[in-house]
Amino acid sequence: AAATRALFQQHRPSHVIHLAAKVGGLFNNTRHNLDFWRRNIHINDNVLHSAYEVGVQKVVSCLSTCIFPDQTTYPIDESMVSSSSPPSSSSPHPS
């Protein structure tokens, strides 16, 4: 939190594209889903609160999760990404 706050205070951005996240791939996410969730909540809170403190006008955040469909054929291309629900391993609740 302190490092994030210092960065925002030093640069005082007007707009932020927030891409920071702890990621680790499908199997690592599945094995450590609570740890990933907690770390990402803290990262997001640090960015959003620091942005608020320095008066950022707009923050754009991206979701960090697996986006490929659970039921698909391979090879997969961009047109197929949203063709069905994401894999159950991307759910915040264990299957």
Side-chain angles (χ1 to χ4, degrees), residues 59-79:
V59 176
V60 175
S61 297
C62 294
L63 177 64
S64 171
T65 189
C66 298
I67 61 163
F68 58 87
D70 199 19
Q71 304 295 318
T72 192
T73 57
Y74 292 94
I76 189 170
D77 66 39
E78 295 85 358
S79 69

Side-chain angles (χ1 to χ4, degrees), residues 30-48:
T30 301
R31 277 186 232 121
H32 306 286
N33 61 354
L34 178 60
D35 180 55
F36 276 63
W37 181 81
R38 289 181 54 121
R39 288 176 185 259
N40 284 316
I41 287 294
H42 289 127
I43 291 169
N44 287 314
D45 185 58
N46 292 339
V47 169
L48 294 174

